[in-house]
Coordinates of all heavy atoms in Angstrom, one line a residue:
M1 N -46.5 129.7 -223.1 CA -46.4 128.4 -222.4 C -44.9 128.2 -222.1 O -44.1 128.5 -222.9 CB -46.9 127.3 -223.4 CG -47.1 126.0 -222.6 SD -48.3 124.9 -223.5 CE -47.5 124.6 -225.0
S2 N -44.7 127.7 -220.9 CA -43.3 127.5 -220.5 C -43.1 126.0 -220.1 O -44.1 125.3 -219.9 CB -42.9 128.4 -219.3 OG -43.9 128.4 -218.3
K3 N -41.9 125.6 -220.0 CA -41.5 124.2 -219.6 C -41.3 124.3 -218.1 O -40.6 125.2 -217.6 CB -40.3 123.9 -220.4 CG -40.4 123.9 -221.9 CD -41.2 122.7 -222.4 CE -41.2 122.8 -223.9 NZ -42.1 121.7 -224.4
V4 N -41.8 123.3 -217.5 CA -41.7 123.2 -216.0 C -41.1 121.9 -215.6 O -41.5 120.8 -216.2 CB -43.1 123.4 -215.3 CG1 -43.0 123.3 -213.8 CG2 -43.6 124.8 -215.7
L5 N -40.2 121.9 -214.7 CA -39.6 120.7 -214.1 C -39.6 120.7 -212.6 O -39.1 121.6 -212.0 CB -38.2 120.4 -214.7 CG -37.4 119.3 -213.9 CD1 -38.0 117.9 -214.3 CD2 -36.0 119.3 -214.4
K6 N -40.4 119.8 -212.0 CA -40.3 119.8 -210.5 C -39.3 118.8 -210.0 O -39.2 117.6 -210.5 CB -41.7 119.3 -210.0 CG -42.8 120.3 -210.3 CD -44.2 119.8 -209.9 CE -45.2 120.8 -210.2 NZ -46.6 120.3 -210.2
C7 N -38.4 119.3 -209.2 CA -37.4 118.5 -208.7 C -37.9 117.2 -208.1 O -37.3 116.1 -208.2 CB -36.6 119.3 -207.6 SG -34.9 118.7 -207.4
R8 N -39.0 117.3 -207.4 CA -39.6 116.1 -206.8 C -40.0 115.0 -207.8 O -39.9 113.8 -207.5 CB -40.9 116.6 -206.1 CG -41.5 115.6 -205.1 CD -42.6 116.2 -204.3 NE -42.2 117.2 -203.4 CZ -41.7 117.0 -202.3 NH1 -41.5 115.8 -201.8 NH2 -41.3 118.0 -201.5
D9 N -40.3 115.4 -209.0 CA -40.7 114.5 -210.1 C -39.5 113.7 -210.5 O -39.6 112.6 -211.2 CB -41.3 115.2 -211.2 CG -42.8 115.6 -210.9 OD1 -43.3 115.2 -209.9 OD2 -43.3 116.4 -211.7
V10 N -38.3 114.2 -210.2 CA -37.1 113.4 -210.6 C -36.7 112.5 -209.5 O -35.7 111.7 -209.6 CB -35.9 114.4 -210.9 CG1 -34.7 113.7 -211.4 CG2 -36.4 115.5 -211.9
G11 N -37.4 112.5 -208.3 CA -37.2 111.6 -207.3 C -36.5 112.2 -206.1 O -36.1 111.4 -205.2
L12 N -36.3 113.5 -206.1 CA -35.6 114.1 -205.0 C -36.6 114.7 -204.0 O -37.7 115.2 -204.5 CB -34.6 115.2 -205.4 CG -33.4 114.7 -206.2 CD1 -32.8 115.8 -207.0 CD2 -32.4 114.1 -205.3
D13 N -36.3 114.8 -202.8 CA -37.3 115.3 -201.7 C -37.0 116.8 -201.6 O -36.3 117.3 -200.8 CB -37.0 114.7 -200.4 CG -38.0 115.1 -199.4 OD1 -39.1 115.7 -199.8 OD2 -37.8 114.9 -198.1
C14 N -37.6 117.5 -202.6 CA -37.2 118.9 -202.8 C -38.4 119.6 -203.5 O -39.0 119.1 -204.4 CB -36.0 119.0 -203.6 SG -35.5 120.7 -204.2
D15 N -38.7 120.8 -203.1 CA -39.8 121.6 -203.6 C -39.5 122.5 -204.8 O -40.3 123.3 -205.3 CB -40.6 122.3 -202.5 CG -41.4 121.4 -201.6 OD1 -42.0 120.4 -202.1 OD2 -41.4 121.7 -200.4
Y16 N -38.2 122.5 -205.2 CA -37.8 123.4 -206.2 C -38.5 123.1 -207.5 O -38.6 121.9 -208.0 CB -36.2 123.2 -206.4 CG -35.6 124.3 -207.3 CD1 -35.4 125.6 -206.8 CD2 -35.3 124.0 -208.6 CE1 -34.8 126.6 -207.6 CE2 -34.7 125.0 -209.4 CZ -34.5 126.2 -208.9 OH -33.9 127.2 -209.8
V17 N -38.9 124.2 -208.2 CA -39.5 124.1 -209.5 C -38.7 124.9 -210.5 O -38.5 126.1 -210.3 CB -40.9 124.5 -209.5 CG1 -41.6 124.4 -210.9 CG2 -41.8 123.7 -208.4
V18 N -38.3 124.3 -211.6 CA -37.6 125.0 -212.7 C -38.6 125.4 -213.7 O -39.4 124.6 -214.2 CB -36.5 124.1 -213.3 CG1 -35.8 124.9 -214.4 CG2 -35.5 123.6 -212.3
R19 N -38.6 126.7 -214.1 CA -39.5 127.2 -215.2 C -38.6 127.9 -216.2 O -37.7 128.7 -215.9 CB -40.4 128.2 -214.7 CG -41.7 127.6 -214.2 CD -42.8 128.7 -214.0 NE -44.0 128.0 -213.5 CZ -44.2 127.6 -212.2 NH1 -43.2 127.9 -211.4 NH2 -45.2 127.0 -211.9
A20 N -38.8 127.5 -217.5 CA -38.1 128.2 -218.6 C -38.8 128.1 -219.9 O -39.8 127.4 -219.9 CB -36.6 127.5 -218.7
E21 N -38.3 128.7 -220.9 CA -39.0 128.8 -222.2 C -38.7 127.6 -223.0 O -39.5 127.4 -223.9 CB -38.5 130.1 -222.9 CG -38.9 131.4 -222.2 CD -40.4 131.5 -222.0 OE1 -41.2 131.2 -222.9 OE2 -40.9 131.7 -220.9
S22 N -37.6 126.9 -222.8 CA -37.3 125.8 -223.7 C -36.8 124.6 -222.8 O -36.3 124.8 -221.6 CB -36.3 126.2 -224.7 OG -35.1 126.4 -224.0
E23 N -36.9 123.4 -223.4 CA -36.4 122.2 -222.6 C -34.9 122.4 -222.3 O -34.4 122.1 -221.3 CB -36.6 121.0 -223.5 CG -36.3 119.7 -222.8 CD -36.6 118.5 -223.7 OE1 -37.7 118.1 -223.8 OE2 -35.6 117.9 -224.2
Q24 N -34.2 123.0 -223.3 CA -32.7 123.2 -223.1 C -32.5 124.0 -222.0 O -31.6 123.8 -221.1 CB -32.2 123.8 -224.4 CG -30.6 124.0 -224.4 CD -29.9 122.6 -224.2 OE1 -30.3 121.7 -224.9 NE2 -29.0 122.5 -223.3
E25 N -33.2 125.1 -221.8 CA -33.0 126.1 -220.7 C -33.4 125.4 -219.4 O -32.7 125.6 -218.4 CB -33.9 127.3 -221.0 CG -33.3 128.6 -220.3 CD -34.2 129.7 -220.6 OE1 -34.9 129.8 -221.5 OE2 -34.2 130.6 -219.7
V26 N -34.5 124.6 -219.4 CA -34.8 123.9 -218.1 C -33.7 123.0 -217.7 O -33.3 122.9 -216.6 CB -36.1 123.0 -218.4 CG1 -36.3 122.0 -217.2 CG2 -37.3 123.9 -218.6
M27 N -33.1 122.2 -218.7 CA -32.0 121.4 -218.4 C -30.8 122.1 -217.8 O -30.2 121.7 -216.9 CB -31.6 120.6 -219.6 CG -32.6 119.6 -220.1 SD -33.2 118.4 -219.0 CE -31.8 117.4 -218.8
T28 N -30.5 123.3 -218.4 CA -29.4 124.1 -217.9 C -29.7 124.6 -216.4 O -28.8 124.5 -215.6 CB -29.2 125.4 -218.8 OG1 -29.0 124.9 -220.1 CG2 -28.0 126.2 -218.3
K29 N -30.9 125.1 -216.2 CA -31.2 125.6 -214.9 C -31.3 124.4 -213.9 O -30.9 124.5 -212.7 CB -32.6 126.2 -214.9 CG -32.5 127.6 -215.5 CD -33.9 128.3 -215.3 CE -33.9 129.7 -215.9 NZ -35.1 130.4 -215.7
A30 N -31.8 123.2 -214.3 CA -31.8 122.1 -213.4 C -30.4 121.6 -213.0 O -30.2 121.3 -211.9 CB -32.6 120.9 -214.1
A31 N -29.5 121.7 -214.0 CA -28.2 121.3 -213.7 C -27.6 122.2 -212.7 O -26.8 121.8 -211.7 CB -27.3 121.3 -215.0
E32 N -27.8 123.5 -212.8 CA -27.3 124.5 -211.8 C -27.9 124.2 -210.5 O -27.2 124.3 -209.4 CB -27.8 125.9 -212.3 CG -26.8 126.7 -213.1 CD -27.3 128.0 -213.6 OE1 -28.2 128.6 -212.9 OE2 -27.0 128.3 -214.8
H33 N -29.2 124.0 -210.4 CA -29.9 123.7 -209.1 C -29.3 122.4 -208.5 O -29.0 122.4 -207.3 CB -31.4 123.5 -209.3 CG -32.1 123.0 -208.2 ND1 -32.3 123.6 -207.0 CD2 -32.7 121.7 -208.0 CE1 -32.9 122.8 -206.1 NE2 -33.2 121.7 -206.7
A34 N -29.2 121.4 -209.3 CA -28.6 120.2 -208.8 C -27.2 120.3 -208.2 O -26.9 119.8 -207.1 CB -28.5 119.1 -209.9
R35 N -26.5 121.2 -208.8 CA -25.1 121.5 -208.4 C -25.1 122.3 -207.1 O -24.5 122.0 -206.1 CB -24.3 122.2 -209.5 CG -22.8 122.4 -209.1 CD -22.0 122.8 -210.3 NE -22.6 124.0 -211.0 CZ -23.0 124.0 -212.2 NH1 -22.8 123.0 -213.0 NH2 -23.5 125.1 -212.7
N36 N -25.9 123.4 -207.1 CA -25.9 124.3 -205.9 C -26.6 123.7 -204.7 O -26.2 124.0 -203.6 CB -26.6 125.6 -206.3 CG -25.8 126.3 -207.4 OD1 -24.6 126.2 -207.5 ND2 -26.5 127.2 -208.2
D37 N -27.7 123.0 -204.9 CA -28.5 122.6 -203.8 C -28.4 121.1 -203.4 O -28.8 120.7 -202.4 CB -30.0 123.0 -204.0 CG -30.2 124.5 -204.1 OD1 -29.7 125.1 -203.1 OD2 -30.8 125.0 -205.1
H38 N -27.9 120.3 -204.4 CA -27.9 118.9 -204.1 C -26.4 118.3 -204.2 O -26.3 117.1 -204.0 CB -28.8 118.1 -205.0 CG -30.2 118.4 -204.9 ND1 -31.0 118.2 -203.8 CD2 -31.1 119.1 -205.8 CE1 -32.2 118.7 -203.9 NE2 -32.3 119.2 -205.1
G39 N -25.5 119.2 -204.5 CA -24.1 118.8 -204.6 C -23.9 117.8 -205.7 O -22.9 117.0 -205.6
I40 N -24.7 117.8 -206.7 CA -24.6 116.9 -207.9 C -23.9 117.7 -209.0 O -24.4 118.6 -209.5 CB -25.9 116.4 -208.4 CG1 -26.7 115.6 -207.3 CG2 -25.7 115.5 -209.6 CD1 -28.1 115.3 -207.6
D41 N -22.6 117.4 -209.2 CA -21.8 118.2 -210.2 C -22.4 118.1 -211.6 O -22.4 119.1 -212.2 CB -20.3 117.6 -210.2 CG -19.5 118.1 -209.0 OD1 -19.9 119.2 -208.5 OD2 -18.6 117.5 -208.7
E42 N -22.8 116.9 -212.0 CA -23.4 116.8 -213.3 C -24.5 115.8 -213.2 O -24.3 114.7 -212.6 CB -22.3 116.4 -214.3 CG -22.6 116.7 -215.7 CD -21.5 116.3 -216.7 OE1 -20.4 116.2 -216.2 OE2 -21.7 116.1 -217.8
I43 N -25.6 116.1 -213.9 CA -26.7 115.1 -213.9 C -26.2 113.8 -214.6 O -25.8 113.9 -215.8 CB -27.9 115.7 -214.6 CG1 -28.4 116.9 -213.8 CG2 -29.0 114.6 -214.7 CD1 -29.6 117.6 -214.4
P44 N -26.2 112.7 -214.0 CA -25.8 111.4 -214.6 C -26.5 111.2 -215.9 O -27.8 111.4 -216.0 CB -26.1 110.4 -213.6 CG -26.3 111.1 -212.4 CD -26.8 112.4 -212.6
K45 N -25.8 110.7 -217.0 CA -26.4 110.5 -218.3 C -27.6 109.5 -218.2 O -28.6 109.7 -218.8 CB -25.4 109.8 -219.2 CG -24.5 110.7 -220.0 CD -23.9 110.0 -221.2 CE -23.0 111.0 -222.0 NZ -21.7 111.3 -221.3
E46 N -27.5 108.5 -217.3 CA -28.6 107.6 -217.2 C -29.9 108.2 -216.6 O -30.9 107.7 -216.7 CB -28.2 106.3 -216.5 CG -27.7 106.6 -215.1 CD -26.2 106.8 -215.0 OE1 -25.6 107.2 -216.0 OE2 -25.6 106.5 -213.9
M47 N -29.7 109.4 -216.0 CA -30.9 110.1 -215.4 C -31.5 111.0 -216.3 O -32.6 111.4 -216.1 CB -30.4 110.9 -214.1 CG -30.8 110.3 -212.8 SD -30.4 111.3 -211.4 CE -31.8 112.4 -211.3
L48 N -30.8 111.4 -217.4 CA -31.4 112.4 -218.4 C -32.7 112.0 -219.0 O -33.6 112.9 -219.0 CB -30.3 112.6 -219.4 CG -29.1 113.4 -219.0 CD1 -28.2 113.6 -220.2 CD2 -29.5 114.8 -218.5
P49 N -33.0 110.8 -219.4 CA -34.3 110.4 -219.9 C -35.4 110.7 -218.8 O -36.5 111.1 -219.2 CB -34.2 109.0 -220.3 CG -32.7 108.7 -220.5 CD -32.1 109.6 -219.5
Q50 N -35.1 110.3 -217.6 CA -36.0 110.5 -216.5 C -36.3 112.0 -216.3 O -37.4 112.4 -216.0 CB -35.4 109.8 -215.2 CG -36.3 109.7 -214.1 CD -35.6 109.3 -212.8 OE1 -34.5 108.8 -212.8 NE2 -36.3 109.5 -211.7
V51 N -35.3 112.7 -216.3 CA -35.4 114.2 -216.1 C -36.2 114.8 -217.2 O -37.2 115.5 -217.0 CB -34.0 114.9 -216.1 CG1 -34.2 116.4 -216.0 CG2 -33.2 114.4 -214.8
K52 N -35.9 114.4 -218.5 CA -36.6 115.0 -219.6 C -38.1 114.6 -219.6 O -39.0 115.3 -220.0 CB -36.0 114.5 -220.9 CG -34.7 115.3 -221.2 CD -34.1 115.1 -222.6 CE -32.9 115.9 -222.7 NZ -32.2 115.7 -224.0
A53 N -38.4 113.3 -219.1 CA -39.7 112.8 -219.1 C -40.5 113.6 -218.0 O -41.8 113.6 -218.1 CB -39.7 111.3 -218.7
A54 N -39.9 114.2 -217.1 CA -40.5 114.9 -216.0 C -40.8 116.3 -216.4 O -41.5 117.0 -215.6 CB -39.7 114.8 -214.7
I55 N -40.3 116.8 -217.5 CA -40.6 118.2 -218.0 C -42.0 118.2 -218.6 O -42.4 117.4 -219.4 CB -39.6 118.6 -219.0 CG1 -38.2 118.6 -218.4 CG2 -39.9 120.0 -219.5 CD1 -37.0 118.9 -219.4
H56 N -42.8 119.2 -218.1 CA -44.1 119.4 -218.6 C -44.3 120.8 -219.1 O -43.7 121.8 -218.7 CB -45.1 119.1 -217.5 CG -45.1 117.7 -217.0 ND1 -44.5 117.3 -215.9 CD2 -45.7 116.6 -217.6 CE1 -44.7 115.9 -215.8 NE2 -45.4 115.5 -216.8
D57 N -45.3 120.9 -220.0 CA -45.7 122.3 -220.4 C -46.6 122.9 -219.4 O -47.4 122.2 -218.8 CB -46.4 122.2 -221.8 CG -45.5 121.8 -222.9 OD1 -44.3 122.1 -222.8 OD2 -46.0 121.1 -223.8
E58 N -46.5 124.2 -219.2 CA -47.4 124.8 -218.3 C -47.8 126.2 -218.9 O -47.0 126.9 -219.4 CB -46.8 125.0 -216.9 CG -47.8 125.5 -215.9 CD -47.1 125.5 -214.5 OE1 -47.2 124.4 -213.9 OE2 -46.6 126.5 -214.1
Ligands
LIG101 ZN1 -34.0 120.1 -205.9

């Protein structure tokens, strides 16, 4: 089972899906994606609970 985060579920108009083995890894990959594709240097602290809530098992 892996952890999945859909960028769209965080409120962005984007079809990117992050898949990883752990929540920590999802967050790392999501931060990279946010930086590379959305120009977000760092996910804002106030957005973290929303991002974590959007992570699902698959
Ligand atoms: Zn995205």
Side-chain angles (χ1 to χ4, degrees):
M1 194 155 63
S2 49
K3 304 283 184 187
V4 178
L5 171 67
K6 293 177 181 163
C7 201
R8 192 173 294 281
D9 287 347
V10 187
L12 292 161
D13 185 17
C14 169
D15 286 323
Y16 189 79
V17 178
V18 181
R19 272 195 181 76
E21 294 305 307
S22 68
E23 186 180 283
Q24 185 58 50
E25 211 184 326
V26 168
M27 294 305 289
T28 303
K29 286 187 177 182
E32 266 172 36
H33 167 69
R35 188 166 52 237
N36 295 334
D37 294 308
H38 297 296
I40 300 167
D41 281 337
E42 201 176 340
I43 297 174
K45 270 199 183 74
E46 59 269 25
M47 250 185 91
L48 287 178
Q50 190 189 347
V51 174
K52 286 189 177 174
I55 297 174
H56 292 101
D57 290 331
E58 190 172 273

